[in-house]
Amino acid sequence: VLWRGSETGPKPPNGLNYHPLEWYFDFLKTNGFNAVRLPFNHRDVLDNPPLDLTGAKLADPSWMDLDYLGMIKQFAAKAAAKGILVLPVADRLDREPLPDTEGGGLWYSADFSEKEIIDSWRKLSTLLCANDWNVFGVDLMSEPVCKRACLPFPFMRTSSASLMACSHMRLLLHPSSCAAPSMLLHGARALPRTGTSLRHASETRYLKCARTG
C-alpha cells in the first residue's frame, strides 16, 4: 500500500481528517495487508521543519509538537505496534516534483547534490534503522529515469540509479544501523529531459542489495 501525503511537504499521511492513524492500520491488518510504502521528499528531511497538521483534525494531539522527521519516526512506531512493515520511499527531491523534461526522475538535481541526498539518507537511517524493526528497507527513488542510455541490453534497462544503489551502499546507510537493509529501485520510466517513455522496453523491476562487511 502506498500511503501518500508526506511527500508534498511537512505533512502527515493523507486521511487524518477522516480517521485517526490507528484506524487505518487496523483496516490494513483486517484486510490482509502487512506493509506500507511511506513517500517523502528530501528537502523536508534535510530542513526538518515543524509538522503542518492543517486539516488533519484526527491526528494524534501530541503530533502538534513534532517536526517532519519526528512524524516519520512516530508513523513507523505506530505501524510497528500494529505489526505493519514500513518502506520509506524517496518520491521526489523537493515538495514539487520536476517533470522529466526538466531533469526530474533523477536522484539529484541542480539544486540537490549527490552529497546532500546521501546526507538525507543518513539522517533517515540514523532516525529509523537502529530501533525500528519494521522499517525493512528503503526505495531510493520512485520511478527514476535513465541517466544516459541506460544499459545496452533491453532486458537490463533499469535506471543508472540502480548502479549507484549498490556501489554507494556504505555511503547511504549509517554504519551503526541497518545490519541487512533492503534497497529497492523501480525500473526506469523515461529518458531525462525528453520524457520518452521506456515502459515499452522493460517492465518495472526491483533490485535488492545487502550491505556486507
Side-chain angles (χ1 to χ4, degrees):
V1 175
L2 177 63
W3 197 342
R4 289 198 172 277
S6 300
E7 76 279 12
T8 63
K11 305 173 183 178
N14 293 334
L16 299 187
N17 53 325
Y18 298 109
H19 300 285
L21 195 67
E22 291 80 1
W23 184 94
Y24 292 103
F25 288 137
D26 287 336
F27 177 85
L28 292 174
K29 289 281 287 186
T30 299
N31 289 277
F33 295 95
N34 70 344
V36 172
R37 290 162 53 87
L38 181 66
F40 66 90
N41 73 78
H42 282 295
R43 168 62 66 202
D44 286 318
V45 171
L46 290 169
D47 294 347
N48 197 25
L51 188 61
D52 179 5
L53 291 178
T54 302
K57 60 184 180 181
L58 294 177
D60 188 319
S62 66
W63 282 27
M64 294 181 64
D65 299 323
L66 292 181
D67 49 30
Y68 189 65
L69 291 176
M71 180 275 297
I72 294 175
K73 178 75 172 178
Q74 283 297 307
F75 181 91
K78 289 179 179 291
K82 299 291 185 176
I84 299 290
L85 302 175
V86 175
L87 181 78
V89 179
D91 188 79
R92 57 192 67 174
L93 303 182
D94 216 324
R95 296 176 183 177
E96 293 294 330
L98 287 173
D100 295 342
T101 52
E102 297 180 16
L106 295 175
W107 67 93
Y108 63 92
S109 71
D111 296 322
F112 285 89
S113 67
E114 286 192 344
K115 180 183 181 302
E116 289 177 297
I117 300 306
I118 290 171
D119 288 344
S120 176
W121 279 116
R122 281 180 167 168
K123 288 183 72 171
L124 277 174
S125 66
T126 299
L127 177 77
L128 296 171
C129 293
N131 300 310
D132 295 273
W133 64 267
N134 61 323
V135 179
F136 69 98
V138 295
D139 190 341
L140 288 179
M141 190 70 202
S142 179
E143 294 191 333
V145 299
C146 285
K147 172 58 179 170
R148 296 193 181 93
C150 300
L151 298 175
F153 306 105
F155 67 89
M156 296 179 66
R157 284 182 180 172
T158 55
S159 166
S160 61
S162 63
L163 304 179
M164 182 272 293
C166 293
S167 63
H168 291 78
M169 173 73 88
R170 293 181 185 278
L171 293 177
L172 287 166
L173 295 176
H174 193 279
S176 64
S177 304
C178 297
S182 297
M183 283 195 165
L184 306 182
L185 270 294
H186 281 86
R189 71 171 186 269
L191 293 172
R193 303 189 186 282
T194 67
T196 303
S197 174
L198 291 175
R199 293 194 184 280
H200 68 281
S202 71
E203 62 186 19
T204 299
R205 299 169 184 267
Y206 290 95
L207 297 181
K208 179 177 179 180
C209 305
R211 188 178 69 171
T212 60

